[in-house]
Amino acid sequence: MSNSRSFRVDARVLLSLGRESIKDHSTALVELIKNAYDADAQRVDIEIVGDDVVDPQKGLIRIADNGHGMSSADVDQKWLRVGYSEKRIRTMSKRGRRETGEKGIGRLSADRLGAILDLRSQQSPRGAVGIRVNWNDFETDGADITSVQVQNLADPKPKLPRLPNGDPAPSGTEIQIRELRQGWTSDDLNRLAVELSTLVAPGADNDDFQIWLTRPNAPAERLQSFYDASSELAFDGTFDSKGTLSYTITARSPHDPERRDIVVKDKIAWKASSKSTSSYSIGKVRVVLAFHLRSAASLAPGLSLRDLRQYLDRNAGVRMYRDRIRVKPYGDLDHPEGDWLGLAARKTRDPAGAGRTTFKFAANQVTGAVYIGRDSNKSLLDSAAREGLVQGPGFSTLRTAVLRCIQLLEGEYHRAFVAKKPVPSAPVQESVPEVIAGMKATLEGLTKQLSSPTDPRKAVEQAAARLRIATETFQRAEQRFEELANESVIYRGLATVGISSAVFGHETESALAQVKLSNGFVSEELDDEDPDLEACREEIAVANQAIDRVALWGQFSLVRIKRDKRKRTNVDVTRLLRGLVAEIKPLFDAKEISLRFSIAEGLAVRGFAMDVESVALNLLTNAYHAASLRTRARLVELKAWRTTPGNPIIKLSVADSGAGISKADLARIWDPLFSTKSDDKGNLVGTGLGLTIVSSIVREMNATADVVGKGPHGGALVEISMPSKVGSR
C-alpha cells in the first residue's frame, strides 16, 4: 500500500470556476478578449449572430484574433490544463505587453456564455488544431474531470482577422460559442459596446489592439476609448514612487479653440490620511482628468449640447487601467462601486456653486483615467472575484491621491470662474465695539460743540440734553454688545476645542478601547474558579493608565473655556502659551511628535485670552495633523517673541515637519469649509473652520497672518503679528 495519496478533481469544479463565478455574459466575453490581448493580437473580432433579439438556441458568438495562436501541444498541455498559466512565469509578451491573466481560468468563462465551445487555433498556416467542448458534460455528479472527453474538430482551420497591412494573419485563434446561456437584447449589445470601447486605455497606441464588433443586421464597427479634448479644464499628473505629484492643468485657449493653454504647472508632496502613519508606498501612478460643464455656455466649436451630453452619459466617471486594460467596475456610474471616489456623495453633501470656495464637481461632469501596473503598484491587489481591487491600505492611498487631484482641479475652476464673473464680496465690516466707539465719539463731539456758550442758549441746552441721553443709550448698547462679543469668543473657543477633539480624539479612542479590553480580561479571569489575581491587578493598572489619558484630554478641553478667559483684559501671552504647551505636550508625545517651543518673557496684548489661545491651539492642531503623517522625524515648533526692543509687535509662529502647503492651496486655506484632511478610506474630512477662526480673530485684533508653504522644517510655517497694546479700553 502506498504511503501517500493525491487529490482528485470532480468534473463539476469547472462550473464553479467558470459559469458560477462570473456575474453576467458581458464580463465573461471580456475575459475571452483579454486572452486575445495577452496573445499579442493586433485585432480581435467579436460577432454576435442572430436576430435583433438574439435567441439563445439559434444565436452564436464568434471571437477571432490574429495573435500568436496555439499548437496541438499547447492545447493539450496548457489550454486543457485547468489553472495553468505561463503568464506567472513570463509576465511580458513578445510585443511588450504586461499580460493580464495569471490564474489560468479565464478561458472557463466561455461556459458562462454557452454550452458548446468550438476552438480553432494555429501558430502557422499549416499547423491548425480544433476541439469541441460541451460544458454540460461536466455537470455529472461524482464524475472525475479526466473522464469527460473533449472531441477534435474535423475542420480545425480558423477564420482570422487580417493584419493591419491587409495581409492574411499567419496565426491566431477563433472561438465559436453556441447554445447560449441567455439571449442578447439591443440594450445588452449597447452596454457591451460601451464596455468594450473602454476596455483598453485611451491613447496614441490604440491601433496596437483593435476591437471590432458586429451586431445582428449591422456592419462591423471599431470600438475604442477616447477623452474629448474640448473640456473646460484638464488635469494630467503623475505621483512618483515617493508620492510627489507633478501636474499640469490646461484650459481651452480663449483665442484659439483648437489649442489648450497651461494654466497651472506645479509639484506638491504627498499628504496621507489623518490617521495613517505610513508614507506613500503604492508606487508610480498617473492621473488624467477632464471637467465638462454639461451646458451650452461653453461648448467647443462644432460640438452640440446633445453631443456633449451623450458623450458624458457614456464616458463620465474616473476609470482605472492596469497595464492598459481596464479594471472594472471603477468609473461605471451605474454600478454600486463605480463611483469609487464618492463624487456624487461629495456633491450632495455640499452643492455649492462655482463661485464658492467649497465648489465640487458632480460625478457626471468628470471623465478620467487612473493608470497603474501589476509590477509598479504591487500593493494594489486583485479581489477574489473577477472585478475590482482589494480595498486595503494600498487602495485607500490610491483613492486619497486621486481625490487630491480632483480637489486641485476644482480649486482651479473656482478661481477661473471668479476671475470671469467676480462675486461681489461683502464689505469689510468693523467689529461691533469699533462701530459703537465711533458713534460714541461722534455724539460726544456734538455734545461739546452744542454746549459751547457761543451758541443760542435755549436751543443748545435742548440739543445738549438730547445728545446726553443718546450718549447714555449708546453706552448701554456698548455694554450689551461687549457681552455679545464675549459670547462670540466662547463659541470660537468651543469650536476650537471641537476641532482639536477631532484630531486628538484618536488617542482617546484607543485609550477607551484599551479600557474595554482590560475590563473584559479581568471579568473573564474573575469568573474562573482559580483567578490569577496578580494578572488582574496588572491589567487594572493598564486600564488606569488609559483612563488617565482620557482624563488628560478632558481636563485639557475644560480648561479652554474658563470664565476668566472670556473677558477683554491685558493678556499675559507668555504665561498663556507656556501653560498651553505644558498641557498639550503629552498629547504630542503620545504620537511621537517632538514639540519644541521658545517663548520670550514679558509678552502681553490687549484682548480675550480665549482668542489668543484659540489662535495658538488651531495652529498647533494643524501642525500636529501634518507632522503625524510623516514617517521621518516628526517635529512641531512654536515660537513667540517681540520683534525688536520697544517694538509694539508680538510674533507668534508655528512650524511643522509635514508635507507643507502647495501653491494651489495657499490662496484657499483661510476660506470657510476648505480642508485637505482625509481619513483612512480617502474621504476628505476636517471642518475647514480652524484657520477661518484664526482669520476672524486676527482681523478683530488688528493683527496680520503670513503663511509659508515650505518652512524651516519642511512643512508649513504660519506667523501671526499682534500689536502689543496693553492698557484699558
Side-chain angles (χ1 to χ4, degrees):
M1 182 176 178
S2 173
N3 291 329
S4 62
R5 301 176 186 221
S6 61
F7 280 101
R8 296 176 64 191
V9 180
D10 193 275
R12 291 186 64 89
V13 75
L14 292 192
L15 307 184
S16 300
L17 295 174
R19 184 190 321 172
E20 297 171 1
S21 68
I22 297 179
K23 69 172 186 176
D24 57 43
H25 46 345
S26 294
T27 301
L29 197 148
V30 168
E31 286 290 322
L32 298 176
I33 296 173
K34 289 180 181 178
N35 286 344
Y37 178 85
D38 288 346
D40 273 343
Q42 294 174 277
R43 172 170 171 159
V44 59
D45 290 348
I46 303 103
E47 186 177 2
I48 311 293
V49 180
D51 296 325
D52 289 338
V53 177
V54 179
D55 183 270
Q57 295 303 314
K58 298 179 181 179
L60 178 143
I61 298 174
R62 175 179 170 272
I63 304 171
D65 68 66
N66 54 16
H68 54 57
M70 291 182 288
S71 65
S72 179
D74 288 335
V75 171
D76 288 334
Q77 298 171 17
K78 299 176 182 178
W79 200 92
L80 290 174
R81 187 176 171 187
V82 178
Y84 174 82
S85 177
E86 60 184 353
K87 299 166 189 175
R88 289 191 291 266
I89 303 171
R90 188 198 69 241
T91 59
M92 301 298 294
S93 73
K94 293 180 181 179
R95 295 182 64 85
R97 296 176 182 170
R98 178 56 167 87
E99 297 185 346
T100 62
E102 296 177 351
K103 294 183 175 66
I105 58 174
R107 51 192 172 271
L108 302 182
S109 60
D111 180 25
R112 178 65 178 80
L113 296 171
I116 305 299
L117 167 69
D118 287 350
L119 169 74
R120 295 176 173 88
S121 190
Q122 65 183 41
Q123 287 188 337
S124 66
R126 297 181 181 179
V129 58
I131 61 172
R132 172 169 294 171
V133 180
N134 187 336
W135 299 108
N136 291 342
D137 291 343
F138 294 89
E139 293 182 357
T140 305
D141 290 327
D144 193 281
I145 193 171
T146 57
S147 67
V148 180
Q149 298 300 303
V150 175
Q151 304 299 320
N152 290 319
L153 293 175
D155 178 17
K157 186 71 175 176
K159 180 183 177 181
L160 306 175
R162 288 183 174 270
L163 297 176
N165 62 7
D167 292 341
S171 60
T173 299
E174 179 189 25
I175 293 175
Q176 292 187 14
I177 301 172
R178 292 178 284 111
E179 296 186 19
L180 305 183
R181 302 292 184 192
Q182 65 186 89
W184 290 75
T185 66
S186 58
D187 287 342
D188 290 334
L189 293 171
N190 288 335
R191 283 192 293 269
L192 176 65
V194 172
E195 186 163 348
L196 293 179
S197 70
T198 61
L199 178 62
V200 180
D205 54 358
N206 265 350
D207 285 338
D208 182 56
F209 185 67
Q210 298 183 15
I211 300 175
W212 290 77
L213 174 65
T214 303
R215 314 187 202 195
N217 306 315
E221 59 177 319
R222 183 182 173 188
L223 306 176
Q224 58 182 326
S225 180
F226 69 97
Y227 289 121
D228 180 23
S230 65
S231 58
E232 290 296 298
L233 288 176
F235 178 99
D236 193 337
T238 300
F239 290 90
D240 64 17
S241 60
K242 295 182 179 179
T244 298
L245 171 64
S246 302
Y247 70 96
T248 57
I249 296 177
T250 60
R252 288 203 311 270
S253 171
H255 309 294
D256 181 1
E258 301 298 323
R259 195 185 81 219
R260 297 194 70 85
D261 294 336
I262 295 178
V263 293
V264 176
K265 189 172 185 179
D266 200 4
K267 180 183 290 187
I268 60 175
W270 166 249
K271 275 192 174 183
S273 70
S274 58
K275 294 182 180 179
S276 173
T277 58
S278 61
S279 59
Y280 181 93
S281 60
I282 59 174
K284 185 177 179 180
V285 174
R286 184 184 176 204
V287 181
V288 177
L289 304 166
F291 168 65
H292 306 259
L293 269 180
R294 295 187 74 96
S295 70
S298 59
L299 287 174
L303 183 67
S304 70
L305 181 58
R306 180 181 178 184
D307 291 339
L308 172 64
R309 289 180 174 173
Q310 285 182 342
Y311 167 77
L312 290 175
D313 289 342
R314 180 171 177 169
N315 293 281
V318 179
R319 302 187 180 103
M320 191 183 304
Y321 290 92
R322 182 162 57 181
D323 301 310
R324 292 187 60 203
I325 298 297
R326 186 177 171 195
V327 181
K328 291 178 60 182
Y330 308 122
D332 180 0
L333 299 186
D334 293 329
H335 192 283
E337 297 180 11
D339 185 13
W340 60 291
L341 298 170
L343 299 184
R346 291 169 77 243
K347 187 66 174 178
T348 300
R349 287 194 300 267
D350 186 1
R356 299 280 297 276
T357 58
T358 59
F359 168 71
K360 294 176 177 60
F361 297 149
N364 64 356
Q365 292 179 302
V366 180
T367 60
V370 177
Y371 299 93
I372 60 175
R374 280 177 171 78
D375 299 325
S376 57
N377 309 104
K378 294 185 177 180
S379 64
L380 301 176
L381 307 174
D382 285 319
S383 65
R386 301 285 180 98
E387 288 190 350
L389 302 175
V390 174
Q391 295 196 19
F395 184 83
S396 295
T397 299
L398 177 65
R399 189 171 182 272
T400 301
V402 179
L403 279 170
R404 181 63 174 139
C405 298
I406 291 279
Q407 193 179 41
L408 289 169
L409 195 60
E410 290 168 338
E412 181 54 38
Y413 183 72
H414 162 72
R415 282 187 286 275
F417 181 88
V418 172
K420 289 180 182 177
K421 300 178 180 180
V423 178
S425 57
V428 178
Q429 296 181 349
E430 295 177 290
S431 65
V432 170
E434 290 173 336
V435 173
I436 297 299
M439 298 177 71
K440 178 183 174 183
T442 300
L443 291 175
E444 287 176 344
L446 287 172
T447 301
K448 291 179 181 179
Q449 181 180 5
L450 292 174
S451 298
S452 171
T454 59
D455 294 334
R457 184 171 298 175
K458 187 174 181 179
V460 170
E461 289 177 354
Q462 291 176 347
R466 285 196 297 269
L467 289 175
R468 278 194 294 271
I469 294 173
T471 301
E472 293 173 357
T473 301
F474 277 106
Q475 286 175 338
R476 290 194 300 272
E478 179 186 18
Q479 182 179 359
R480 176 57 186 144
F481 278 111
E482 181 74 15
E483 293 171 357
L484 292 175
N486 290 344
E487 291 179 14
S488 175
V489 171
I490 295 172
Y491 296 146
R492 285 194 299 230
L494 289 171
T496 298
V497 172
I499 294 166
S500 300
S501 296
V503 176
F504 296 119
H506 177 67
E507 308 303 328
T508 301
E509 182 181 355
S510 62
L512 292 175
Q514 178 60 57
V515 172
K516 185 176 180 180
L517 185 65
S518 297
N519 286 344
F521 172 83
V522 173
S523 296
E524 290 181 5
E525 190 66 28
L526 292 178
D527 286 339
D528 194 46
E529 292 182 0
D530 185 21
D532 187 341
L533 297 180
E534 183 60 31
C536 289
R537 280 192 288 269
E538 292 177 358
E539 201 63 35
I540 290 172
V542 171
N544 284 336
Q545 291 175 354
I547 291 172
D548 288 342
R549 287 162 54 195
V550 177
L552 178 67
W553 170 248
Q555 293 167 4
F556 176 81
S557 302
L558 292 174
V559 169
R560 309 279 70 78
I561 53 174
K562 281 185 176 180
R563 184 172 298 276
D564 59 358
K565 295 183 180 180
R566 311 174 201 171
K567 300 177 181 178
R568 191 184 300 275
T569 60
N570 295 337
V571 180
D572 186 338
V573 176
T574 299
R575 181 179 178 183
L576 184 149
L577 292 180
R578 288 179 179 175
L580 177 63
V581 168
E583 293 167 355
I584 204 172
K585 193 174 186 303
L587 299 172
F588 278 65
D589 292 342
K591 201 71 173 179
E592 297 182 350
I593 299 174
S594 174
L595 177 57
R596 297 180 187 171
F597 60 95
S598 173
I599 303 169
E601 295 286 350
L603 303 179
V605 297
R606 181 70 183 179
F608 297 97
M610 188 176 291
D611 273 352
V612 177
E613 187 174 78
S614 290
V615 169
L617 183 54
N618 274 302
L619 297 184
L620 287 171
T621 298
N622 284 347
Y624 172 95
H625 171 264
S628 67
L629 303 181
R630 312 300 287 181
T631 55
R632 68 190 185 203
R634 300 173 178 180
L635 172 64
V636 172
E637 185 172 26
L638 178 144
K639 291 183 179 181
W641 71 102
R642 190 175 289 102
T643 52
T644 57
N647 193 324
I649 298 296
I650 290 176
K651 297 274 191 178
L652 167 65
S653 72
V654 175
D656 63 69
S657 60
I661 302 174
S662 69
K663 294 178 183 177
D665 289 339
L666 278 175
R668 303 182 65 193
I669 60 171
W670 305 106
D671 294 340
L673 306 180
F674 177 76
S675 175
T676 61
K677 297 175 183 175
S678 58
D679 61 18
D680 284 344
K681 294 183 179 179
N683 297 309
L684 293 175
V685 297
T687 62
L689 293 175
L691 289 181
T692 302
I693 291 173
V694 171
S695 177
S696 172
I697 295 171
V698 164
R699 283 198 307 271
E700 289 193 11
M701 294 182 67
N702 292 322
T704 60
D706 296 301
V707 184
V708 177
K710 289 286 184 182
H713 305 304
L717 167 67
V718 183
E719 187 174 278
I720 309 295
S721 300
M722 300 177 287
S724 177
K725 186 177 181 181
V726 178
S728 60
R729 279 184 52 84

